[in-house]
C-alpha cells in the first residue's frame, strides 16, 4: 500500500498542474506549484519505497510554498502598469527643434523622439527652437506643450 499513496500524490499533483494550465492560470500559479510539490513528494516516496516519506516531503514543500514562496511568486506575476509611449510623455520636458506656434505646428524632441507639437490651449506662443517646454497633453501624434 506504500506505493498507492505515492501514486495518488503523483496523479493529484499532475491533475492540479493540468487544471491550472487548462484554465489559464486562474489560481495565480498556486496549483502548479502545489501540484509540483505533490509530484516531487510522490516521486521521492516511490524512490524510497516509503509513503510516509512521500507525504512528508509533499507536505513540507506545500507548507514552505504557502508560508514563504507564495508572496514572492505573486509579486513576480503581478501585472505592473507601464504607461504607453504617449501616456509616459505627460509632464516630461522637451526641446523645441522647429518653432511651435498656434497656427503653425512645430517639432519637439522628447527623449530620443521628435514629435509634432502645438501650444496647449490658453498658452501664448510661439516657442522658438531651443526652448524647453513641458508636455501637457497628447492628441494622436501631436503634443500639446506649455
Amino acid at each position: 500500500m506504500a506505493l498507492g499513496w505515492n501514486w495518488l500524490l503523483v496523479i493529484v499533483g499532475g491533475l492540479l498542474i493540468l487544471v491550472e494550465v487548462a484554465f489559464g492560470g486562474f489560481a495565480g500559479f498556486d496549483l502548479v506549484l502545489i501540484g509540483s510539490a505533490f509530484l516531487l513528494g510522490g516521486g521521492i516516496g516511490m524512490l524510497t519505497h516509503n509513503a510516509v516519506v512521500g507525504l512528508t516531503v509533499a507536505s513540507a514543500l506545500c507548507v514552505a510554498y504557502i508560508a514563504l514562496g507564495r508572496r514572492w511568486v505573486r509579486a513576480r506575476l503581478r501585472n505592473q502598469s507601464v504607461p504607453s509611449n504617449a501616456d509616459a510623455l505627460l509632464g516630461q520636458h522637451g526641446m523645441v527643434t522647429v518653432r511651435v506656434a498656434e497656427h503653425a505646428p512645430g517639432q519637439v524632441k522628447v527623449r530620443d523622439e521628435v514629435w509634432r507639437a502645438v501650444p496647449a490651449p490658453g498658452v501664448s506662443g510661439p516657442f522658438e527652437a531651443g526652448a524647453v517646454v513641458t508636455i501637457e497633453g497628447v492628441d494622436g501624434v501631436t503634443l500639446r506643450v506649455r
Side-chain angles (χ1 to χ4, degrees), residues 3-146:
L3 289 179
W5 282 106
N6 291 323
W7 273 111
L8 183 64
L9 284 172
V10 169
I11 292 168
V12 170
L15 287 174
L16 288 173
I17 293 170
L18 288 174
V19 166
E20 180 83 34
V21 171
F23 289 110
F26 77 96
F29 209 59
D30 289 341
L31 293 182
V32 168
L33 292 172
I34 291 173
S36 297
F38 281 24
L39 280 170
L40 284 171
I44 291 172
M46 284 183 199
L47 288 174
T48 61
H49 299 288
N50 189 336
V52 174
V53 170
L55 289 168
T56 302
V57 169
S59 299
L61 289 172
C62 286
V63 168
Y65 167 65
I66 291 169
L68 305 173
R70 189 166 193 258
R71 184 173 292 139
W72 182 82
V73 169
R74 292 283 173 134
R76 298 299 178 273
L77 292 176
R78 186 175 304 129
N79 288 339
Q80 296 176 350
S81 176
V82 177
S84 71
N85 193 21
D87 294 335
L89 293 174
L90 298 178
Q92 297 290 317
H93 298 290
M95 171 92 52
V96 176
T97 58
V98 175
R99 184 176 189 260
V100 176
E102 186 174 350
H103 297 292
Q107 293 181 343
V108 173
K109 184 174 184 176
V110 183
R111 299 183 190 140
D112 292 330
E113 297 178 329
V114 177
W115 289 77
R116 181 176 189 268
V118 296
V123 174
S124 62
F127 299 104
E128 299 299 330
V132 175
V133 293
T134 302
I135 288 74
E136 181 179 284
V138 181
D139 286 327
V141 295
T142 303
L143 301 179
R144 292 186 317 258
V145 297
R146 174 175 298 281

